[in-house]
Amino acid sequence: MPTQKKGGETVSTPKNGTDVLKIIKDKKIEFVDFRFLDFVGMWQHFTITSKEVDKDTFDSGLGFDGSSIRGWQSIHASDMLVVPDPTSAKIDPFMVRPTIAIICDIEDPITREAYSRDPRNISKKALAYLKRTGIADSAFFGPELEFFIFDDVRYDQTSNSGYYFVDSTEGIWNSGREEYPNLAYKPRHKEGYFPTPPADSMHDIRSEMVSILETLGISCEAHHHEVATGGQQEIDMRFAPMLEMGDNMMWYKYVVKNVARKNGKTVTFMPKPLYEDNGSGMHIHQSLWKKGKPLFAGKGYAGMSDMAMHYIAGILKHARAICAFSNPSTNSYRRLVPGFEAPVNLAYSARNRSAAVRIPMYSPSPKAKRLETRFPDPSCNGYLTFSAMLMAGLDGIENKLNPGDPLDKDIYSLGPEELAGIPNVPASLEEALTALKDDHDFLLKGDVFTEDVISTWIEYKMDEEVNPMRLRPVPHEFMLYFDV
């Protein structure tokens, strides 16, 4: 593998195509990489030489085959356009040849209408709806993505076999392995939170990730080892406007994966890759602002405003449907299991990390007032998840929903009678998709999501993920049932 650059190169944010062309000229950029998100949530790209880019590129866009993208066009209507957003241009920190990457929106080449299944377009429509309501003019989001860094990953599935194997030099299961020499310092199960090096062997890799994110203009507040053994990590980005955070989340995953690969390691955002230890969540902080002033600060519970409480009520009311986007994999529900570390109970509280919605109490500043949803995980499509949560919160505000009383107890310690009245998140992806099918009118307001988007999402997830999992035996079933 060729030597990679150690970091990106900071450039001023371009305002239009002319600015991008100037960067290409000044920085001697050789290639332009066009990126967009597929329906499920993976970045796609293609690259052209910089001499092929001119002002018209930013207006007319470039054609591609939409039928080859998951969940998109049928083959008889496959022609689509990528239209680059010049304000998103960043110099790629990993490409050997000087390359600038531009995030694109998707349009129909005939009507030039924004494509309804483009996740970035859905995010834009959610923000437009927010402004039309007059409730606020800005929505800020701050996701905390957790992930694992592994040293070896192998998996396969055939008609007569199936297995996975993941390994990490940090894994406590390797405490007795011959490593010539084995130097120990491997975090025990559930003891990976905040130890210093040498137990935290990933510090320098995380610092490299943060350094590159910062050069890309993505501010990071902290990084640390997370709870699980086997290399669980967290890097926290500073909150940003919703659309910008959707873009930042894609850069985050891209940078983290490529820095790991450069160091001979690999990263996964799977919610639950290890048995008997914590899974990876994605706590999402969010708040609404208007004319530069925060709207969630007030004199109510935990220093929150009535608007904030209505927003929380909307999240709790629609949480089961939101899970179809925020916890979109079958693996998501290996993490969301009652009685374990993930918050599955749909309640809210101040400081309490066992509640699905938490109100952080670190600072009395009105600017710091926000809510934190704790059930999502990082396998999700950020644009869709943020949009769904915003629409649920706005539904709560518009209908003045009441979130009920807070639950200021350790929910994990409550008995069956106390838990009986507290609703839970879905127990499976299929259950979440059913909830979305039954409860999605709040998403259709302002044509943010469409019936086509909802039905296509449900159909894709059922056909490509839920049903294939139903058909396959898993290794533990042999331990349970082979001798029946």
Side-chain angles (χ1 to χ4, degrees), residues 35 43 88-94 99-103 212-213 216 218 237 244-258 383:
R35 298 181 183 175
W43 243 358
S88 73
K90 300 180 187 295
I91 296 178
D92 190 285
F94 300 103
T99 301
I100 194 166
I102 307 177
I103 300 175
I212 292 177
L213 286 168
L216 290 167
I218 300 171
M237 293 179 284
E244 179 182 337
M245 182 52 75
D247 294 345
N248 288 352
M249 184 170 157
M250 297 313 300
W251 274 108
Y252 178 109
K253 288 187 172 184
Y254 179 76
V255 168
V256 165
K257 289 177 180 179
N258 278 284
Y383 299 104

Side-chain angles (χ1 to χ4, degrees), residues 70-98:
R70 295 184 297 177
W72 277 16
Q73 295 292 87
S74 57
I75 197 167
H76 70 277
S78 60
D79 287 354
M80 301 292 288
L81 287 179
V82 293
V83 181
D85 178 353
T87 64
S88 73
K90 300 180 187 295
I91 296 178
D92 190 285
F94 300 103
M95 303 299 184
V96 174
R97 308 304 303 175

Side-chain angles (χ1 to χ4, degrees), residues 6-74:
K6 290 186 177 180
E9 183 177 357
T10 303
V11 296
S12 58
T13 301
K15 297 179 180 179
N16 49 47
T18 301
D19 289 348
V20 175
L21 294 175
K22 187 176 187 303
I23 293 171
I24 289 173
K25 180 180 178 181
D26 293 346
K27 301 297 181 180
K28 296 181 171 56
I29 300 297
E30 297 179 17
F31 294 95
V32 180
D33 200 53
F34 298 99
R35 298 181 183 175
F36 61 95
L37 204 68
D38 70 9
F39 196 43
V40 181
M42 293 288 290
W43 243 358
Q44 312 293 309
H45 82 131
F46 64 91
T47 310
I48 66 175
T49 60
S50 58
K51 63 182 175 60
E52 295 295 323
V53 179
D54 55 25
K55 289 182 180 180
D56 188 56
T57 305
F58 295 90
D59 296 323
S60 301
L62 296 157
F64 74 101
D65 176 10
S67 68
S68 297
I69 305 301
R70 295 184 297 177
W72 277 16
Q73 295 292 87
S74 57

Side-chain angles (χ1 to χ4, degrees), residues 89 103 110 115 144 146 181 193 199 235 246 269 325 331 348 371 481:
I103 300 175
I110 299 174
Y115 187 42
E144 301 174 352
E146 297 171 346
Y193 194 65
I235 296 173
F269 288 93
F325 297 112
N331 185 254
Y348 77 97
L371 62 94
Y481 307 125

